[in-house]
Amino acid sequence: MIEYIKGELVELSPALAVIEAHGVGYALSISLNTYDGIQGKKEAKLFVHEAIQAGGRDDSYTLYGFATKQERELYRMLISVSGVGANTARTMLSSLSPNELCTAIANGDEKLIKSVKGIGLKTAQRVIVDLRDKIVNSGIADEFHVGTPSTKTSGINTAVRDEAVSAMTMLGFSPAPAAKVVAAILTEQPDMAVEMVVKEALKRIK
């Protein structure tokens, strides 16, 4: 089992990071939270969750990377909930910061959790019921300072449209509607950073 990968950050988009370690390039699916934590760096260390899917014509093997152990732990909690798959959990960590998500679960805020694309009311309620005690008992709530405002900031503003559409496509949305939503957001707020564009697009896309 791979615990973490550390090396040169050779490629980065809001949904994917490629790290070269000892001559091997590892492609890791990431959340916007992790993207924000490693952008601008030449080297990165990502904690890994390995997802293996067997069956059908092809088996798949995907590496998910996280900037902190705490975010990985939260991700693993999310995918333990019935109805929350690997990509849905990543979308949750892209739509909400870990702080916001932990606070919502701890406070039973099903409305905020349901605002994430792909999460219905029943799934939001199940996330709260299954994880509320786990989040408190594991200490992860303390790690993310649950109840305090998020201080997440960013400053990337080049090729925002293309990068945002690419990220939405990698998160499973069709390019055409994704491009339409992204264009509308950037028309309203031309200087918005790419991860914020994607976060807003995840709320608006239908």
Side-chain angles (χ1 to χ4, degrees), residues 29-157:
S29 297
I30 61 173
S31 69
L32 283 177
N33 181 69
T34 288
Y35 171 80
D36 188 53
I38 64 175
Q39 64 168 317
K41 295 183 178 180
K42 293 182 179 180
E43 292 193 351
K45 176 181 179 180
L46 293 182
F47 295 91
V48 174
H49 173 79
E50 300 173 76
I52 302 173
Q53 264 192 333
R57 292 185 177 181
D58 299 303
D59 294 341
S60 65
Y61 176 57
T62 305
L63 298 179
Y64 290 88
F66 303 90
T68 65
K69 280 187 175 182
Q70 290 76 25
E71 187 187 7
R72 182 179 64 179
E73 182 179 359
L74 180 56
Y75 175 85
R76 286 174 170 171
M77 287 184 182
L78 288 170
I79 61 175
S80 73
V81 178
S82 177
V84 179
N87 274 325
T88 300
R90 181 171 63 152
T91 300
M92 293 176 78
L93 288 168
S94 295
S95 302
L96 302 169
S97 70
N99 176 11
E100 291 168 333
L101 188 53
C102 282
T103 299
I105 294 170
N107 293 338
D109 190 348
E110 61 188 38
K111 184 178 180 181
L112 182 59
I113 298 172
K114 193 167 73 70
S115 71
V116 176
K117 182 69 176 179
I119 299 293
L121 177 60
K122 289 185 178 180
T123 301
Q125 292 172 336
R126 197 177 299 121
V127 167
I128 292 168
V129 170
D130 288 1
L131 300 186
R132 178 184 272 167
D133 290 343
K134 289 182 181 179
I135 282 176
V136 174
N137 294 335
S138 70
I140 196 170
D142 296 331
E143 295 284 352
F144 288 127
H145 308 292
V146 166
T148 63
S150 173
T151 57
K152 187 176 178 180
T153 60
S154 61
I156 189 169
N157 57 14

